[in-house]
Amino acid sequence: MRYEKDDKFIEKVKVQEGVAGLPRVWRREEVVKGLNTSKTFCTILIKSNGNIEKGKKVELYDDQFIRTKANDNDQDNLENLPRF
């Protein structure tokens, strides 16, 4: 993921359709639009042996923040994902 200049809000994330899909970079607004139109997103973990494991479901808060925890913190909380 990539943060905006102030390092406070997510600007872009990598999105991959299924395990075999190629990752693409999406702006946060595109993910928000997808969530608003019934698309589902989740994090993925790449294990040390190269296997991919499904992570947590990505949710929308306040129609603009993408998160893995449904709470009222207005900052995005995907900070454990690797940056690019």
Side-chain angles (χ1 to χ4, degrees):
M1 96 180 123
R2 183 177 300 153
Y3 278 92
E4 293 178 346
K5 292 178 189 175
D6 61 6
D7 222 28
K8 186 175 179 183
F9 298 108
I10 292 171
E11 177 183 20
K12 297 178 181 179
V13 295
K14 287 186 180 178
V15 174
Q16 179 174 326
E17 291 189 40
V19 176
L22 295 174
R24 296 184 321 242
V25 176
W26 282 28
R27 292 183 341 270
R28 176 173 42 95
E29 294 84 1
E30 293 174 287
V31 175
V32 167
K33 183 178 179 180
L35 289 166
N36 279 323
T37 57
S38 302
K39 284 191 183 259
T40 58
F41 297 88
C42 68
T43 61
I44 61 168
L45 307 167
I46 301 175
K47 304 302 250 176
S48 59
N49 62 5
N51 289 343
I52 295 175
E53 183 177 298
K54 184 176 178 180
K56 295 181 180 182
K57 182 178 177 182
V58 175
E59 300 180 18
L60 184 61
Y61 167 71
D62 200 24
D63 286 328
Q64 63 179 331
F65 302 106
I66 53 176
R67 322 180 38 75
T68 56
K69 295 180 182 176
N71 63 32
D72 61 358
N73 184 341
D74 65 352
Q75 292 184 3
D76 300 326
N77 79 329
L78 302 175
E79 66 273 354
N80 292 329
L81 295 178
R83 294 181 183 219
F84 61 88

